[in-house]
Amino acid sequence: MPEPFDVVFRARRLIGPNGETSGSVAVRDGRIAAVEALDAQLDAARSIELAADEVLLPGLVDTHVHVNDPGRTEWEGFDTATRAAAAGGITTILDMPLNSLPPTIDVTALEVKRQTAREKVHVDVGFWGGAVHGNLAELRGLHEAGVFGFKCFLLHSGVDEFPPLNPTELDAALRELAGYDALMIVHAEDSDAIAHAPTAHGETYGDFLRSRPRGAENVAIAQVIELARRIGARVHILHLSSSDALPLIASARADGVRVTVETCPHYLSFTAEEIPDGATQFKCCPPIREARNRELLWQGLADGIIDCVVSDHSPCTPELKRFDIGDFGVAWGGVASLQLGLPAVWTQARLRGHSLADVVRWMARKPAELAGLRHKGSIAVGQDADLCVFAPDDAFVVDVAKLHHRNPVSPYHGRPLAGVVRQTWLRGQQIAGDGVDITDPRGQLLIRQEA
């Protein structure tokens, strides 16, 4: 007699590797052990039957999260950030190397980050390293310690302790990383273009938008692509907001350049035209652009030029958003949205004829592939039993007071969204949903897996 499974999920609708189907998903020892027909006879200690309006999704993977812990824990922290992730159907996050103190730019700082996170994480957490002015000799050590790749800026990062790379330094860093095929992820805005743009100031969003022109993105992306072409390095363009760059990226990829690209829910949801004066909760860099630009980003997703959609959750305290004066020039730039990515993207995707299978590809499978997380991002035998029970036709109005990230600030406040995450499961154990108060953190700290 075969040993019973730990739990079996029975779903009239589930998103598998080949699209939407129905089926039973059996879990043993935290892994998916079988995917069978809906009516398959599977003996299990526990059976979860999804309601008729629910769809079983793989847990989402968010590779762009600023947890800011340690050092700026008044902005965010591992407990609050990973609770928010779990509530949003996200089962794996990768933490960015800056805004924490110390930044993750050497092995000692990485260990500080891991010690801080240990015993606090409600989802699985991995770490990016940083490539900054002066730390070229630290990159191999960070790589060997298991970071998932390296983030760099080409202009001031917003914090002095994470300085940018100049063109010569970017070339040297890419040559170093190419030696062991490590991934460089790039905040691609050109410092010279920004320096020659109008200065950001005042309450009018249009003035801020002019201070971060799309040309600054386009020039920087072209520079990164040409270096990657010359060196043979792997590069990833972060938080694409300029649709102008899409043909350049498509052309480079057709030539064999190893370049991938992400965008974020806020670029797919909001438009510059609708942002009120003084609404600094919308400020981020690169900025939210015009309605036509948004539609071209959606087309880039449909065409497969944009690989994935991740949050760029970059919160701060309410005071740093300067709601007292509403000045876009001095407010901190960053959108807080970690818990809302799935419903935000689904709300817009369904209006444009996209399916849940598309959303899962953008928000689970492709981010997992980007990071080399071979056991994440899909419902298949051998994968971690990371699952999300999602009601796509349910709806809610966002109330920041009910979100789990540390500070009650988000541009989504008051916005109606389609799709409700009802349960989230990590390696076969429920970590969020249905009113369950999960107090015992069950996440693990991840290291990069060798290919």
Side-chain angles (χ1 to χ4, degrees):
M1 179 75 66
E3 181 183 352
F5 297 105
D6 299 327
V7 59
V8 169
F9 296 84
R10 299 187 185 275
R12 297 170 183 84
R13 299 176 63 192
L14 70 81
I15 306 300
N18 298 314
E20 184 170 325
T21 184
S22 63
S24 298
V25 178
V27 177
R28 181 181 288 127
D29 297 329
R31 292 279 180 94
I32 296 174
V35 180
E36 303 288 350
L38 182 61
D39 58 356
Q41 298 300 308
L42 299 171
D43 186 22
R46 186 178 182 190
S47 181
I48 306 294
E49 184 164 345
L50 273 64
D53 67 335
E54 295 174 340
V55 186
L56 190 64
L57 313 181
L60 304 187
V61 177
D62 191 336
T63 56
H64 195 150
V65 180
H66 293 269
V67 179
N68 307 332
D69 193 10
R72 291 190 173 98
T73 51
E74 70 275 17
W75 296 17
E76 188 61 285
F78 283 103
D79 177 61
T80 49
T82 58
R83 282 182 185 273
I90 299 163
T91 50
T92 304
I93 67 169
L94 296 191
D95 174 56
M96 284 291 164
L98 71 157
N99 299 345
S100 57
L101 293 169
T104 317
I105 57 175
D106 56 40
V107 173
T108 299
L110 174 64
E111 187 53 35
V112 170
K113 182 78 69 103
R114 286 175 170 161
Q115 290 291 347
T116 302
R118 197 167 283 120
E119 311 302 331
K120 294 181 182 178
V121 295
H122 296 271
V123 302
D124 287 356
V125 177
F127 302 98
W128 296 107
V132 299
H133 171 75
N135 85 325
L136 185 66
E138 306 291 344
L139 302 184
R140 180 178 283 274
L142 280 164
H143 176 77
E144 292 175 350
V147 299
F148 284 80
F150 297 86
K151 181 176 186 177
C152 72
F153 279 75
L154 307 184
L155 77 172
H156 194 279
S157 68
V159 290
D160 292 338
E161 68 273 4
F162 200 91
L165 300 179
N166 64 37
T168 300
E169 292 168 330
L170 177 62
D171 184 298
L174 286 175
R175 291 182 187 279
E176 168 71 16
L177 298 186
Y180 31 92
D181 203 33
L183 178 66
M184 179 73 90
I185 63 175
V186 185
H187 182 122
E189 289 181 286
D190 181 72
S191 59
D192 190 58
I194 297 292
H196 286 85
T199 302
H201 66 281
E203 298 182 348
T204 303
Y205 185 77
D207 290 338
F208 169 64
L209 186 60
R210 283 184 282 276
S211 77
R212 311 292 290 215
R214 64 182 68 204
E217 277 192 88
N218 304 337
V219 168
I221 290 169
Q223 176 190 9
V224 171
I225 284 174
E226 287 314 302
L227 282 174
R229 185 195 307 273
R230 185 184 315 156
I231 295 167
R234 287 198 298 141
V235 296
H236 177 74
I237 305 301
L238 296 167
H239 44 49
L240 180 72
S241 92
S242 172
S243 62
D244 293 351
L246 291 170
L248 177 65
I249 294 164
S251 176
R253 195 174 288 165
D255 289 345
V257 179
R258 296 193 295 167
V259 56
T260 51
V261 62
E262 68 185 43
T263 194
C264 305
H266 41 279
Y267 301 128
L268 300 170
S269 297
F270 302 117
T271 64
E273 294 90 339
E274 69 182 336
I275 296 176
D277 288 353
T280 55
Q281 64 269 32
F282 289 88
K283 180 183 176 180
C284 56
C285 299
I288 295 162
R289 302 194 188 276
E290 302 84 356
R292 174 168 169 74
N293 183 83
R294 177 183 67 175
E295 297 314 305
L296 290 170
L297 291 177
W298 274 106
Q299 189 59 51
L301 276 168
D303 293 341
I305 302 171
I306 299 174
D307 299 277
C308 51
V309 181
V310 292
S311 69
D312 190 11
H313 177 69
S314 185
C316 64
T317 61
E319 292 76 18
L320 288 174
K321 278 296 188 182
R322 297 308 308 265
F323 295 123
D324 55 334
I325 57 174
D327 190 328
F328 284 96
V330 297
W332 174 260
V335 167
S337 62
L338 182 57
Q339 188 171 334
L340 301 171
L342 176 55
V345 172
W346 173 237
T347 297
Q348 298 295 323
R350 69 192 305 188
L351 296 175
R352 294 165 176 82
H354 296 294
S355 69
L356 272 176
D358 294 326
V359 174
V360 165
R361 182 173 69 255
W362 301 327
M363 303 189 76
R365 181 167 65 85
K366 285 291 189 176
E369 289 177 0
L370 170 74
L373 292 162
R374 297 194 300 273
H375 298 295
K376 304 289 188 182
S378 66
I379 297 176
V381 173
Q383 297 289 92
D384 288 349
D386 299 350
L387 301 166
C388 168
V389 177
F390 185 60
D393 297 322
D394 204 349
F396 68 105
V397 176
V398 177
D399 179 355
V400 291
K402 296 180 180 179
L403 301 178
H404 289 278
H405 67 259
R406 175 147 292 165
N407 291 292
V409 176
S410 175
Y412 290 93
H413 178 63
R415 193 173 181 92
L417 295 178
V420 172
V421 175
R422 292 187 178 163
Q423 297 177 19
T424 306
W425 295 69
L426 179 69
R427 287 186 300 279
Q429 297 188 66
Q430 189 175 356
I431 59 169
D434 289 346
V436 176
D437 183 20
I438 307 298
T439 58
D440 179 24
R442 295 173 178 164
Q444 296 180 3
L445 301 186
L446 305 177
I447 62 172
R448 187 195 71 262
Q449 300 167 313
E450 296 296 339

